[in-house]
Amino acid sequence: MRLQLTSLAIIFMAASAVAEVELSFYGGAQNAPHSDVFISGDSAYPARTFIGWEGRSFDSPIYYGLRATIWQSQTFGYGVDFAHNKIYPQDSELDGTPFETLEFTDGLNTLTVNAYRRWPGALGAVTPYVGGGLGLAIPHVEVSNGTTETFGYQVTGPAATWIAGASYPISEDWSVFGEYKGTYSQNEADLEGGGTLRTDVITNAVNVGVSFSF
């Protein structure tokens, strides 16, 4: 295992030595449509609840993302992306249910490995790009009914992301960008007191960010 990790590190360092490495930070406005929440197993919660979500992107903890990309050529790149998505139930959505809390507010986090295609010079100084990838959902699960409480991070299933945007250079090393970013995550979380919670969530975000290249 140590030899394999060392080999991967050498390959990454060699790839980055001959390519452009780009580090990005972004924020913006993120939201999510309704989804079904299913509870199975030995649980005091209802078997199915239809929840309307909202993102509250600028409430603490804010919505944000981090991205590292290796551009192997002028047009093709790959890398990793971490997004701190959030979802809250809309006002009164939990009325009439046993839930006191049902949210993923310290992150409906996703970690994905992405590939990107960009078109330098297609719009003058503006460079459009698209991307997509697969990875894991790692949310902070917050569920309670007044008797039992689930509160903590779990790896809950696969995640996917898709991106379309454009960047604009502001110096030799720095650029700014705007984009649409969607994510899909399958979430199956273990509940304290027994049972599992399952919900598939799509988030949609309009991001603005800054990148540093070297």
Side-chain angles (χ1 to χ4, degrees):
M1 176 63 74
R2 181 175 297 175
L3 178 61
Q4 292 173 332
L5 292 176
T6 301
S7 300
L8 288 173
I10 292 172
I11 293 171
F12 180 85
M13 291 173 63
S16 61
V18 297
E20 174 191 354
V21 177
E22 185 177 62
L23 304 178
S24 304
F25 172 81
Y26 58 86
Q30 170 258 308
N31 217 321
H34 293 61
S35 70
D36 284 310
V37 176
F38 298 94
I39 307 292
S40 61
D42 183 15
S43 173
Y45 297 100
R48 176 183 178 274
T49 305
F50 189 61
I51 295 293
W53 304 109
E54 57 186 15
R56 302 182 194 174
S57 302
F58 305 106
D59 291 354
S60 181
I62 64 170
Y63 159 72
Y64 68 89
L66 304 169
R67 185 178 298 157
T69 306
I70 296 175
W71 291 101
Q72 284 295 106
S73 70
Q74 287 296 311
T75 58
F76 174 76
Y78 62 89
V80 293
D81 184 294
F82 171 80
H84 183 267
N85 307 297
K86 305 190 305 172
I87 53 173
Y88 300 75
Q90 295 176 1
D91 291 343
S92 75
E93 283 288 305
L94 301 186
D95 292 353
T97 76
F99 293 105
E100 288 192 355
T101 305
L102 173 59
E103 59 190 45
F104 301 86
T105 55
D106 207 9
L108 181 63
N109 306 304
T110 57
L111 181 64
T112 57
V113 177
N114 298 348
Y116 304 95
R117 174 73 163 88
R118 65 182 179 181
W119 291 268
L123 299 173
V126 177
T127 299
Y129 61 87
V130 296
L134 300 172
L136 296 173
I138 316 170
H140 189 270
V141 183
E142 301 176 42
V143 182
S144 68
N145 63 0
T147 303
T148 61
E149 180 182 48
T150 302
F151 188 83
Y153 292 99
Q154 300 185 37
V155 177
T156 56
T161 189
W162 51 96
I163 302 163
S167 65
Y168 180 82
I170 55 176
S171 73
E172 182 178 354
D173 300 322
W174 292 90
S175 61
V176 293
F177 63 91
E179 66 184 22
Y180 162 78
K181 184 173 190 281
T183 65
Y184 169 77
S185 61
Q186 293 183 352
N187 300 278
E188 185 169 339
D190 296 326
L191 298 176
E192 292 292 332
T196 60
L197 177 150
R198 180 170 58 86
T199 186
D200 297 345
V201 179
I202 295 173
T203 67
N204 297 290
V206 176
N207 299 327
V208 292
V210 61
S211 296
F212 175 72
S213 299
F214 59 92

